[in-house]
Amino acid sequence: MDKSSFLMVERGNPYERGDVIALTKPITVLGRKGQHFDPDIAFDNIFVSRRHAALLHRNGKFSIKDLNSKHGTFVNQEWLAPHDEIPLQHGDTIVLAGDLIVLSFSILSMDETMDITPLIKQLAAVESSGGLKLNPFKQELVYGEGVYAFSEKEYKCMELLVNHQGQFVSKEQLKAYVWPERSYGTDEVPDVSSEELNALIYRVRKKTREILAIESIRGKGYILQQTAE
């Protein structure tokens, strides 16, 4: 198997935020340790059932199944009925017992994992200086104690602008970065309408207006500036 799969902890005692839990078994049970049962991944929370949910690996793919838990299993905010099983995709968020346990599912190639795993805790942590921090696993921007979540396209837009903070980013650059699937040549500008681009910038501005300003430059591109200190 040339893939490495893991859960990254956002919230869930006894783990710390950013901890990585490797998935190495065909069946991995999530739950709470009891006198006669010790799940593969145990959480110290009375609202987590002894056998709460299971991650299943079959034919190179992962799925998750609720094991008739009392307080529920959610994937990307969708509730799983007791004994329901659904496939998992890279970046899916798994929540147990309301929002007391929050996990992120990731699957990467072995070469990528060797480079990225040591950085996961850094991505999950906030810099002491209070600077902007991008988290590609969860498609979030962290600033201080604030966490700003984005859709896939919104995050790609945010990633490009933040990485070029204070610099001019043309509309052509933004289109090529956010919509690479619409470009068939290396020098070709993706077929993205002005309405789509404007709507994307509007959504990103609305979500980050408390901390960031995205300035339009003569209708040709954008410059991102940090406004909060």
Side-chain angles (χ1 to χ4, degrees), residues 15-39:
Y15 300 97
E16 296 182 359
R17 187 172 186 231
D19 278 350
V20 174
I21 305 171
L23 300 174
T24 59
K25 299 180 178 180
I27 301 176
T28 302
V29 176
L30 284 65
R32 179 166 51 93
K33 187 176 181 178
Q35 185 176 357
H36 304 293
F37 178 70
D38 193 0

Side-chain angles (χ1 to χ4, degrees), residues 51 61 63 83 88 93 107-108 138 204 208 215 225:
R51 292 177 173 84
K61 297 182 180 180
S63 60
H83 304 297
L88 285 172
T93 298
I107 181 165
L108 301 169
K138 302 215 30 108
V204 171
T208 62
E215 180 183 0
Q225 300 285 356

Side-chain angles (χ1 to χ4, degrees), residues 103-224:
L103 310 165
S104 178
F105 172 78
S106 293
I107 181 165
L108 301 169
S109 73
M110 286 299 292
D111 290 340
E112 291 173 318
T113 304
M114 289 174 66
D115 294 332
I116 291 174
T117 299
L119 301 177
I120 292 175
K121 283 199 175 185
Q122 297 177 32
L123 290 169
V126 181
E127 294 177 332
S128 59
S129 63
L132 300 173
K133 198 81 171 172
L134 290 165
N135 186 330
F137 294 103
K138 302 215 30 108
Q139 295 180 180
E140 292 175 345
L141 175 70
V142 179
Y143 179 80
E145 296 183 356
V147 179
Y148 304 83
F150 303 96
S151 67
E152 180 182 357
K153 297 298 185 187
E154 291 168 356
Y155 180 80
K156 294 293 287 184
C157 174
M158 194 78 269
E159 186 176 54
L160 183 63
L161 292 175
V162 168
N163 287 335
H164 293 80
Q165 187 176 170
Q167 304 173 34
F168 174 76
V169 175
S170 70
K171 288 187 174 182
E172 289 74 20
Q173 285 177 281
L174 197 58
K175 289 178 181 180
Y177 193 78
V178 177
W179 288 275
E181 73 278 2
R182 298 196 194 178
S183 179
Y184 299 99
T186 55
D187 299 323
E188 182 181 326
V189 177
D191 182 19
V192 178
S193 68
S194 296
E195 290 76 13
E196 285 180 285
L197 184 57
N198 291 339
L200 177 67
I201 293 294
Y202 171 79
R203 295 196 304 272
V204 171
R205 276 180 174 148
K206 186 175 181 181
K207 289 184 177 183
T208 62
R209 59 191 173 191
E210 296 177 355
I211 59 170
L212 300 173
I214 302 174
E215 180 183 0
S216 295
I217 305 299
R218 299 182 298 278
K220 296 183 178 181
Y222 309 94
I223 295 179
L224 179 141

